[in-house]
Amino acid sequence: MVSIDLNNSQRTMLTTLVNKYQQTGEAVTGETIAEEIDRNPGTVRNQMQSLTSLGLVEGIPGPTGGYKPTSEAFDAINRQQIDEAESVVVAHDYERVDVTVEEINLTSVHHPEKCRARYHLQHSVQDFSEGQAVILGPTPISKLVIAGTVVAVDESNSEVLLDVAKMEAPVEEPDK
């Protein structure tokens, strides 16, 4: 795997393209990407040309055209290409949102007063903001539920950092 050094704008656009493509499985228009990241469609088209020349994006012509990410695009943003990913419930602002959480990293677990969780979504994180209460889970296998407050949002990597207030997982009775 060759490492491609993307600037923040390119990474944000590529992440948005991958997120939208994984939601629909269809080509994503430049206008859709521009609207999602609040940029000018012309700027998005220019950046998509540079991402195409890097082999990260494929342009699809025609009335239903747009852009599709290549397998190299997934590598460039450290994303796995999963066809049948499990959905994990995230609730914020008292509303349930079904999203695909690609990864949850727990940091500072050894410090009970400063436990944090960084979770990576396969969707836009623009609806999340600092100070917002969030509940994440249950996860598919361990049924872990994490509740806390958003500390930071990284839109270019679709990541949210959560100050963990509570974590719960069901306790199974041991086999006798």
Side-chain angles (χ1 to χ4, degrees), residues 1 4 25 29 50 72 82 92 110 116 128-129 140 146 166 168 170 172-173:
M1 174 172 71
I4 298 176
T29 66
S50 68
E72 289 81 11
I82 302 170
H92 65 84
H110 62 278
R116 292 203 167 157
F128 294 87
S129 58
I146 301 171
K166 187 173 185 177
E168 287 185 1
E172 295 183 17
E173 294 292 322

Side-chain angles (χ1 to χ4, degrees), residues 2 10 13 30 37 92 110 167-168:
V2 177
Q10 289 171 322
M13 287 182 199
I37 62 174
H92 65 84
H110 62 278
M167 284 193 293
E168 287 185 1

Side-chain angles (χ1 to χ4, degrees), residues 15 18-19 22 74-75 77-83 85-88 90 99-105 118-123 136 139-140 157-159:
T15 300
V18 168
N19 290 343
Q22 285 189 311
F74 288 84
D75 291 341
I77 61 171
N78 297 319
R79 177 79 60 87
Q80 293 179 3
Q81 197 167 357
I82 302 170
D83 292 330
E86 289 284 338
S87 184
V88 175
V90 176
V99 296
T100 301
V101 177
E102 184 164 302
E103 183 175 36
I104 302 172
N105 291 312
R118 178 179 303 274
Y119 58 98
H120 184 107
L121 298 175
Q122 289 188 359
H123 299 274
L136 173 68
T139 58
N157 291 310
S158 291
E159 290 183 340

Side-chain angles (χ1 to χ4, degrees), residues 4 11-13 16 19 24 31 47 49 57 66 70 72 85 98 102 104 109 115 119 124 127 134 157 169:
I4 298 176
R11 179 172 292 281
T12 299
M13 287 182 199
T16 302
N19 290 343
T24 65
E31 289 76 17
Q47 287 291 347
Q49 287 178 348
V57 172
T70 64
E72 289 81 11
D98 288 321
E102 184 164 302
I104 302 172
V109 173
C115 183
Y119 58 98
S124 172
D127 293 335
V134 173
N157 291 310

